[in-house]
Amino acid sequence: MLRVLLLLLVMVASARAETLHQYHVSFNRSLSESVTQACFSGEIPAFLVAADFKAHRLLQDIRVEGPGRVELKHGRINLYPASDSLCLSIVQSLKPLNLRGNWRNKRRDLFKVKGDLVMPVALWLWRPVRLAADEVIELRFELPQAINVSAPWPQLAQRNHFRINGKTPYNWSGRIAIGAFTPKRLRVAGGDLWVALTGGLERRRSMLPWLEQAASAVATVYGRFPLDSAQILVIPVGPDKEAVPWAEVQRQGQPAIHFFVDQQRPIQEFRRDWTAAHEFSHLLHPYILRSDAWLYEGIASYYQNIARARAGMLSERQAWQKLYDGFERGRKGLASEMLQDASGYMQMYWGGAAIALLADVQLRQRSDNQQSLALMLQQLRQCCGDNPGPWSARHLFRQFDQFSDSRIFSRLYRDQVINRRFPQVARVLNQLGVKVRGGRVELDNRAPLAGLRRAITQKTSL
Ligand SMILES: [Zn+2]
């Protein structure tokens, strides 16, 4: 009995320790207006902000409910409480763009796709700039019947009910989708994917197995899905040149992947496409500075191929062919100065992938396959999963040197990242038995590192 009482006391104490802000959000049937009732108590923030400076355009009305005062000034909603709590109502008028035609630009804005609403968090959510470690916003959506929401924050037991904590900065990108869909939970190797098939895509049941296949492939990199939970949005954009013309990772709340797809293409094209494996591979690393894009694009470009080989979606030879072709594109990309962006792009993606390969091979070589790049990423998740970043390449490499008790990463950084225009992979490929004749890769199992090469694409190893 005493124990139970003590436990209850502890529970009350810890419940008290948390500052809880309550947001109740309702939408009208046509999703053209939202009303957010936000109630603050305890430490009331001095003001609320939205991350996008254009957010004030949506504001229709802001009023206090009960004592206190609010004022919109210089893009902030200033709060002047008259007691230890303050509630206000924020009415927003949502004028979404129609995604059809030129969707590439519209995707950054508020848009509608077949009646479903997709909004950047930055345009819509007004919140305190910072949330302390014990401060939480509970965001509860009250929606018309058969309408649901997909949001990038951890979901509470009740549907359409989320918890925003202070781990990711208020201005990191994320999207909220609201519409006639039901987010599906896909369990993949220890992770929950919350998949929202928007714009009528729920009728295409083959979308879920496509996502599951790519996510499961990436889970083979170190034996589990890299996150506990992730928001997945699939948004149909109509006829385009490929099945997945655009996809991106966003990291507000929990990391999320948003796929923009040509829904008219056959599912085989989705399964053959590399984009999903690439985007899921981005979940293997934390948020890395944009100035070090070569590192995050390199990790994703390397593992999109390694993971698919491990999962049997590519043969070992095909995976090395794709890596080799990529390295060639990256190397040749340097020669052309005309398309600066395009050449930079290839150099960045495949130069980074070459660094990933060099690091992986060196780690394996010195540890008899006991260490690998995957092990570094797994240890990073274990040690620092709570630190969302952004990380610099230097900081990450220092951490990896510590994990591996080596200088492999700092040396690679000095010799291959800073001092060369494209990392030197030819010798390593040769030692691995990746032989090239007329552009076609053949695998030589008598090469000195052929066993190591096989370990890289084997499902059971790290
Ligand atoms: Zn990428």
Side-chain angles (χ1 to χ4, degrees):
M1 187 64 190
L2 187 63
R3 242 188 237 173
V4 175
L5 271 175
L6 275 174
L7 186 70
L8 278 172
L9 275 174
V10 170
M11 281 168 68
V12 169
S14 59
R16 277 224 184 106
E18 190 175 83
T19 305
L20 199 63
H21 307 309
Q22 302 272 4
Y23 280 39
H24 284 250
V25 187
S26 54
F27 283 77
N28 62 350
R29 179 90 232 165
S30 62
L31 305 179
S32 62
E33 185 182 274
S34 69
V35 180
T36 304
Q37 190 201 50
C39 284
F40 301 90
S41 54
E43 287 274 315
I44 300 175
F47 59 89
L48 308 179
V49 290
D52 190 319
F53 71 95
K54 296 191 295 295
H56 67 93
R57 292 184 198 161
L58 271 53
L59 290 173
Q60 281 290 99
D61 190 22
I62 310 166
R63 54 175 179 264
V64 165
E65 295 176 357
R69 192 166 66 79
V70 293
E71 148 196 72
L72 178 69
K73 201 173 176 186
H74 304 313
R76 294 172 168 186
I77 301 177
N78 294 322
L79 308 182
Y80 304 101
S83 66
D84 58 359
S85 67
L86 179 97
C87 290
L88 70 152
S89 261
I90 305 171
V91 182
Q92 285 157 294
S93 159
L94 313 168
K95 295 190 187 69
L97 305 170
N98 184 339
L99 195 59
R100 279 172 164 235
N102 204 11
W103 60 269
R104 282 180 169 78
N105 290 334
K106 295 177 187 169
R107 77 186 158 81
R108 297 176 201 281
D109 216 313
L110 203 85
F111 63 82
K112 249 187 171 178
V113 53
K114 290 227 169 143
D116 294 346
L117 177 70
V118 182
M119 0 184 247
V121 171
L123 268 176
W124 176 79
L125 182 67
W126 291 81
R127 52 161 284 180
V129 173
R130 255 173 233 90
L131 292 171
D134 59 355
E135 211 177 350
V136 170
I137 298 173
E138 270 192 20
L139 185 61
R140 195 188 300 242
F141 290 85
E142 278 149 27
L143 296 163
Q145 239 210 324
I147 299 294
N148 282 301
V149 57
S150 162
W153 302 287
Q155 183 151 317
L156 296 176
Q158 302 93 323
R159 187 184 281 176
N160 303 331
H161 194 162
F162 304 87
R163 219 174 136 85
I164 305 177
N165 61 32
K167 279 186 189 160
T168 55
Y170 81 103
N171 56 356
W172 284 15
S173 315
R175 282 192 183 92
I176 298 173
I178 298 171
F181 54 78
T182 308
K184 303 276 186 306
R185 178 163 132 185
L186 273 185
R187 306 222 64 179
V188 175
D192 282 335
L193 310 188
W194 288 95
V195 183
L197 301 172
T198 69
L201 271 181
E202 271 187 351
R203 268 175 282 134
R204 276 200 80 173
R205 300 194 66 85
S206 49
M207 286 276 128
L208 288 178
W210 158 60
L211 293 165
E212 192 170 19
Q213 181 193 41
S216 306
V218 171
T220 65
V221 170
Y222 56 67
R224 64 150 291 161
F225 190 72
L227 300 172
D228 293 334
S229 155
Q231 177 208 32
I232 310 291
L233 281 184
V234 189
I235 299 159
V237 296
D240 212 281
K241 286 195 217 69
E242 48 196 325
V244 190
W246 183 258
E248 61 196 4
V249 171
Q250 302 209 330
R251 292 185 188 260
Q252 171 60 233
Q254 297 174 319
I257 306 177
H258 302 162
F259 293 97
F260 294 79
V261 303
D262 174 354
Q263 70 274 25
Q264 290 165 2
R265 297 204 172 245
I267 197 65
Q268 292 82 348
E269 283 189 36
F270 285 82
R271 287 174 164 273
R272 275 199 300 269
D273 185 78
W274 54 270
T275 317
H278 179 92
E279 298 305 326
F280 280 113
S281 296
H282 274 307
L283 304 184
L284 291 164
H285 64 75
Y287 185 9
I288 297 170
L289 289 176
R290 198 169 277 262
S291 50
D292 287 330
W294 61 269
L295 179 56
Y296 59 79
E297 292 308 348
I299 290 173
S301 302
Y302 182 59
Y303 282 115
Q304 80 192 38
N305 293 309
I306 300 303
R308 283 188 296 164
R310 284 181 164 224
M313 293 163 69
L314 297 176
S315 69
E316 195 194 354
R317 198 202 70 76
Q318 283 171 321
W320 288 105
Q321 180 78 56
K322 285 181 187 296
L323 283 168
Y324 170 78
D325 291 345
F327 297 149
E328 282 301 287
R329 282 199 297 277
R331 217 168 45 75
K332 285 177 187 152
L334 292 176
S336 91
E337 312 265 271
M338 287 284 286
L339 290 166
Q340 207 188 25
D341 279 352
S343 66
Y345 204 61
M346 285 298 158
Q347 178 186 1
M348 185 176 85
Y349 276 59
W350 294 104
I355 297 289
L357 170 69
L358 293 174
D360 204 9
V361 169
Q362 287 181 28
L363 284 167
R364 288 169 182 277
Q365 222 177 340
R366 83 186 260 283
S367 66
D368 195 19
N369 273 318
Q370 296 305 300
Q371 289 186 341
S372 64
L373 183 59
L375 181 69
M376 300 297 108
L377 294 167
Q378 185 190 32
Q379 289 190 354
L380 187 71
R381 178 184 187 272
Q382 283 160 358
C383 95
C384 317
D386 267 356
N387 173 359
W391 293 70
S392 68
R394 263 179 198 279
H395 186 190
L396 255 182
F397 273 21
R398 222 178 294 132
Q399 190 77 63
F400 289 167
D401 270 353
Q402 255 177 41
F403 290 155
S404 57
D405 193 18
S406 80
R407 304 258 304 132
I408 287 176
F409 290 90
S410 41
R411 285 204 190 107
L412 275 174
Y413 195 82
R414 186 192 63 205
D415 300 341
Q416 304 283 356
V417 179
I418 301 178
N419 287 343
R420 284 183 197 279
R421 297 193 68 196
F422 196 84
Q424 303 291 291
V425 282
R427 207 176 113 243
V428 167
L429 286 176
N430 196 41
Q431 288 174 327
L432 290 168
V434 179
K435 302 280 157 77
V436 187
R437 281 192 194 89
R440 186 187 150 84
V441 161
E442 278 163 31
L443 299 180
D444 175 5
N445 288 330
R446 291 158 309 172
L449 299 182
L452 192 154
R453 185 198 74 225
R454 281 194 298 268
I456 290 177
T457 51
Q458 248 162 35
K459 191 174 179 176
T460 46
S461 63
L462 261 177

